[in-house]
Amino acid sequence: MAEHLESGVDISVIITGHRERLLAGPTARSAREAVAHAEARGLACEIVLVLDRSDGLTREVLTAGIGEGVRIVESDEGDPGQARNHGVAAARGRCAAFLDGDDLWSYNWLTAAWQMAQDRPDAILHSTCNIVFGDEENLWWHVDSEGPFFDPDYLDWANYWDAMSFAPTSLYRRFPFRRNDLSLGFGHEDWHWNCLTHAAGVPHKPVPETVHFKRRRKGSQMSVVSDSGAVVWPLEPET
Amino acid sequence: MSDAALRAAMAEAFDAEFYGDRYADVTRAGADPLEHYLAYGWQENRNPFRELDGAYYRKKYLGDAPPDMSPLAHYVLEGRALGLPLNREEELRRFGDRDWSALVLQFLQASGMDLDHVDGSLFHRFVLPLFSAGAYRQRKGIIATLSDNQLLAQYLAFDFPQGAPPGPLFDSEWYSLQAQKAGLPPIDGRRGLFLHWLEHGVASRIAPNALFDEATYLARNPDVAEQFEGWAFEHFLICGLSEERRFSPLVYLEPNRTRALSPDGKSLNETFLTWAAGRPAGADGFAGMAAFLKSDRITDILHRATILEPKIGRSSGGRFQLLPPWQDADYADFRAIRDLIPLRRAKRIILMPFCKMGGADFLAGVLADALPSPDETLVLRTDQSDWVRPDWFPQKVTSIDLSAHLNLLRPDRRRRVLYELIRGLGARHVYNVNSRLGFETFETYGARLARFTRLYAYYFCSDQTPDGCEVGYPVSYFATVLPHLQAALFDNAALPARLTNRFALPAGQVNKLQVLYSPALNTPPETPLVHRQVESKSGRDRPVLLWAGRLDRQKRFDLVVEIARAMPDIEIRCWGRAVLDAPMDDSVELPDNLVLNPAFERFDELPLRNSDGWLYTSAWDGLPNVLIEAGANGLPVVASAVDGIPELLDEDTGWPVTEVGDVQAYVNAIRNMLGDDAERVARAERLYQRVVERHAGELYRARLAELEEVENG
C-alpha cells in the first residue's frame, strides 16, 4: 500500500533550513498560514523540517514558528538539493511542496496547487509568479512548459522555474536532486532538475492566482552562481 | 548613375565640417571625413550631415538595398528625390503633411472604395506605421525581390479594400471586443475590422493591441506625457516602437546588443509584438496575467504576505515584470548568433580568429581539409571578419563569421556564447587554431567543455616584444588551458620541449603534447627544382635569391635590406606586406638589387626555377610554412636557425644561420650556398627528401585520425 494511503497525509510540506536565522521566522509563519488554509478545506498536511547543517538560532526560530506537529530531519549535507531529498525520504504525503528557509508562499498556495494536481497529477507545479524582494525587486512570471510562451532552448541557457515546486511525492523520488558543485561552474541543482524532468516529458505548469515570495540577499548562493557564468549541467552522457 | 557621378553627388551632399566636429576621433586620426564615412562611418551609423540620422535611415529605408549601400548613397540616388524623412523628429513633424495620405485616399476612392468617413491623415499616421512588409511578405508567400514600398502599394491596392489589417500589431479579435465594450457602431463584416478601427476606433482612442497599455506608456515615458499632445498610441507607433520605449505592465524587454545587426531591422518592441501576435493562444495568457495583477486575489495575497514580512510590500509598484526569456538580453544575443549558423549539429568545430594571409590561417585550412567528413565540420571566425583565402578550405566545410556579433558583447558573454554554441551543436571535437576567444573560452569553460567534448589547441610560436619579452598564446594560454585539452598540437618539436621544461610537466600532461608536422600545400615536383636552377643559372646576369614573408618585426625584413646592401652582386626578390605591425615607412630607400612585390597568392607563382636559392631571416618562429614549401619544391635555403627551423634545416639540408641578426653571417652562408653547385644540389635534395617523408599530407591525416581514435578507445 502506498505510504500516503497508510498515513492519510495529502501534502507534505518540506521546509529546508540552513542558516537563515531570524529570517526563517516569516517563512515558518507563512507555511503555517498556507497549511491552515489547506486544512480548513479538508486537506491533511504534515510539516517536515529539514535542518541541514543548521545553526541553533535557525532551528529555534523554525521549530517555534511552525509550532506543534513538526517532524524534524537532521542532515549534514550542506547542499539544498540533498536536503530536499532527505525531506522527500521522510515525507508521507501523496504530494510534497518545498519551501526554502527564508522565502514565503501565498496563503492559498497549497490549496490551489492541490486542486490543480487533481487534474494534472503528471505535472510539476509552480506559482503563477515569484515576487522577488529584498536586495532585488522583480516579478517573475512562471512560464507553462506546455504553453505558447515556452522556449525549450531557453531552458538550456537559464532556469525557468525555481525549486519551490509542488508535485506527487513519487515524482520527487523518481527524480532526486543532484548535489551542487558550484565551484566547477555548473548552475544550481534546481535548474538541472528542471531540465532533467522536462527532458523526461514531465510538464512544468504555473498554478493560477498563486505567488511565491523570494527573498534576495547580497552574497547569497544565487548571487554567486549568477556572477560565475554558471551553465546548466549537461544531460548528455559524459565522456 | 556612374560611380564617379555618384561619388561627386555624395561629396556635394556630405558635410565635412559637421562630420569633423561631431566625430572628434576622425579628426584626431587625421582622416579625410568623406573617405572615413564611406569606408567605415556609415557602417557605424554615423551621420553624413546633421539632418541625416544614419541609424534611423538604415533601419527605415535600407532593408532591401544592397548590403554595401550607405545611407548617403541611397539618399542621393533615391531618398532626396522622394523627400523621405531623414530622422525621427522630421517624421513626427510631418504628421500634418497630408500629401501622401491624400494621394492614397484619392487612389482608393478612384478604385471604388467608399471612404467618406475616413480621415485622410490616418493613412500616414496609422496605416503606414502599422504596415509590416516582413509579415505581409510572409503571409502572402512573396519571395520575389519586391521592395517594401512595392509591398505597401500591393497591400493598399488589394488587401486594404478587403479589410485586411496591415500587420501583426493590429489584433482583430482584441479590437472587436473593445469596440463592443465601448459601444461603437456595429462592425460591417464586408468592410472589415481594420476599416472600422480607422472610422471609429481611432477617434475613441482604442489601441488595437492588448499588450499596449496607455497608462504604462505615459508613466514610463514622462517626456511623452509632458510634450506630446496627441494620442499616446500614435506616439508609440511612430517613435516608441523603434526607440524601444516601455509600453506594457506585464513584460519588461531588455534590449540586446546585437539587434542592430538583425537582418529584419526590427526593434525589440516590434520583435516582441510580432512574436506575441504569432501566438494566438498567448492572448489568453497575457489577459490572465493582466487580470491577475488587477485582481482582488493578488491584493489579498500581498496584504497578507506583507503582514508576515513588511519588506514585501515596500516597493511593489517599482518592480520589473519579467517574462523569460524576454528579460534576458544575453539570451537574445546568443540566439541571434546561433541563427547565423545554418547547421543544427557539427561533429567538429575549428575556431580561428580570422582568415588573412598568416601561417596559422593557412593551417586552419589544412586542418579542415585533413579532417574526415567536411560537411560535418564548422569553421567559426571569432575575432575579425576577414575571409581572404577561402581557397585554403574545402568547399564542403561551412565557414561562418561570428566576430561582428561577438565583438558587440561583453567579454564574459562572448565566452558563454561560444560555450553554448559548442554544446548546442553537439561537437565531439573542437580545435582552436589561434582564436583568442577560443583560448579564453577554453580557459573559462574548459573543465566543463571537457566533460562532453574533446578540446585541442594549436600552439605555434611565442612572440617577442621589442624589449625581448616572450609573449603570445603559448605564454598566456598554455598553463591554464592544457589541463582541459585532449591534446596540444604543435607544428614543431622545439616549442613543446621548451614548455615541458618551463612548467615541469608531469608525464600525463607531456603525453598530451603532440607534434604534427604540417603538410606542404602543393604536391612536390618529381624532381627537386634545384636542378633547374643550376641548369638555368648561366641565363641570369647575377644570382637571384627569393624572400617572402610578412613585413613585420618578427620576419626581419630590415636584415634582408642590409644583406642586399652588403651583396650588390646578387639580386633579392621579395614578396610580402605588413600584417601585424604598421606598414613599412615609404621613405625607406631600398637598394637597387632588392625588389619588393606585394604578397603572393600561390607559392608556385614565384620564379622558383629562375632563381638560385631561398633566404629566410626570421628572428623567432615556429616551423614556417614557407620553408616547408621551399623544401617541398627542392630549393636550396639559407635561414635563421631559430626555434623549430633547425628541425627542418640543418647542415645536411641547407645553410642554417645561428648568429641571428648578424648580416655577415647570412652573407657568408649565401656565399657558401652559391659557391658550390654540387653541394647546393645535395643539400636541396636532402631537404626535399625530408619534407616528402615528414610533411606528407597522408601522414598529417593519419596522425589526426590516430589522435581522435586513441581517445575514443
Side-chain angles (χ1 to χ4, degrees), chain B residues 256-278:
Chain B
N256 59 313
R257 294 179 180 225
T258 61
R259 67 196 187 289
L261 301 176
S262 164
D264 63 16
K266 279 186 186 157
S267 68
L268 187 60
N269 281 347
E270 287 172 281
T271 303
F272 172 74
L273 288 169
T274 306
W275 172 85

Side-chain angles (χ1 to χ4, degrees), chain B residues 89-128:
Chain B
E89 288 70 25
E90 187 181 352
E91 190 172 323
L92 267 176
R93 273 202 310 278
R94 286 167 58 173
F95 270 23
D97 178 358
R98 293 171 171 255
D99 290 354
W100 186 84
S101 286
L103 199 64
V104 172
L105 200 61
Q106 203 179 342
F107 164 74
L108 292 170
Q109 281 173 329
S111 60
M113 270 199 85
D114 170 14
L115 293 169
D116 291 345
H117 302 293
V118 175
D119 173 359
S121 73
L122 300 184
F123 281 95
H124 66 263
R125 288 166 56 203
F126 294 105
V127 181
L128 192 58

Side-chain angles (χ1 to χ4, degrees), chain B residues 220-526:
Chain B
R220 295 288 180 180
N221 303 285
D223 59 321
V224 180
E226 287 163 18
Q227 295 164 22
F228 188 71
E229 292 175 357
W231 181 23
F233 183 68
E234 188 172 347
H235 185 277
F236 175 65
L237 283 182
I238 303 290
C239 300
L241 271 173
S242 58
E243 291 171 359
E244 296 173 346
R245 292 171 180 259
R246 285 194 67 187
F247 61 91
S248 166
L250 303 178
V251 185
Y252 168 70
L253 307 176
E254 175 74 17
N256 59 313
R257 294 179 180 225
T258 61
R259 67 196 187 289
L261 301 176
S262 164
D264 63 16
K266 279 186 186 157
S267 68
L268 187 60
N269 281 347
E270 287 172 281
T271 303
F272 172 74
L273 288 169
T274 306
W275 172 85
R279 284 159 181 75
D284 288 345
F286 285 122
M289 288 156 67
F292 181 48
L293 290 184
K294 291 177 184 164
S295 68
D296 293 341
R297 173 72 78 187
I298 197 161
T299 304
D300 192 26
I301 285 172
L302 279 169
H303 172 70
R304 292 172 70 161
T306 302
I307 291 171
L308 296 176
E309 172 51 281
K311 279 186 179 177
I312 287 172
R314 201 175 52 187
S315 62
S316 55
R319 296 185 179 100
F320 284 129
Q321 319 282 326
L322 308 175
L323 176 69
W326 291 95
Q327 88 297 352
D328 193 336
D330 296 330
Y331 177 66
D333 286 326
F334 165 69
R335 285 302 299 258
I337 293 169
R338 176 66 186 83
D339 288 347
L340 297 173
I341 300 172
L343 306 180
R344 296 307 304 166
R345 309 288 286 176
K347 192 168 183 182
R348 294 177 179 82
I349 295 176
I350 297 173
L351 305 171
M352 62 187 300
F354 40 70
C355 181
K356 297 185 180 178
M357 297 290 289
D361 307 338
F362 168 72
L363 198 71
V366 168
L367 177 64
D369 192 43
L371 291 169
S373 41
D375 52 342
E376 293 180 279
T377 299
L378 180 62
V379 176
L380 298 178
R381 280 167 280 142
T382 59
D383 301 3
Q384 294 175 32
S385 296
D386 307 71
W387 185 236
V388 177
R389 296 301 302 261
D391 56 308
W392 284 349
F393 293 77
Q395 282 189 345
K396 282 190 174 177
V397 162
T398 303
S399 168
I400 305 291
D401 170 41
L402 305 181
S403 65
H405 285 70
L406 286 169
N407 288 334
L408 293 173
L409 309 187
R410 278 172 27 189
D412 61 330
R413 298 297 188 262
R414 282 180 220 159
R415 298 193 288 270
R416 172 85 197 274
V417 165
L418 187 54
Y419 168 86
E420 296 293 351
L421 288 177
I422 291 170
R423 191 170 77 91
L425 287 160
R428 305 301 297 159
H429 306 275
V430 182
Y431 294 86
N432 184 30
V433 187
N434 266 12
S435 155
R436 175 176 290 279
L437 180 62
F439 277 122
E440 290 171 353
T441 306
F442 283 12
E443 190 173 62
T444 304
Y445 290 100
R448 284 168 275 184
L449 283 167
R451 298 176 79 93
F452 52 84
T453 191
R454 287 141 188 163
L455 305 177
Y456 311 81
Y458 248 113
Y459 296 91
F460 296 101
C461 71
S462 303
D463 222 330
Q464 283 182 21
T465 61
D467 54 0
C469 282
E470 188 180 343
V471 292
Y473 295 144
V475 174
S476 306
Y477 295 113
F478 180 75
T480 51
V481 167
L482 183 67
H484 312 310
L485 296 182
Q486 197 67 36
L489 309 177
F490 300 86
D491 68 349
N492 66 87
L495 180 58
R498 195 160 78 233
L499 294 171
T500 299
N501 183 50
R502 177 176 300 159
F503 294 105
L505 293 183
Q509 298 298 311
V510 172
N511 290 341
K512 293 181 178 180
L513 312 189
Q514 299 289 333
V515 178
L516 273 71
Y517 286 113
S518 306
L521 178 61
N522 300 309
T523 310
E526 284 190 13

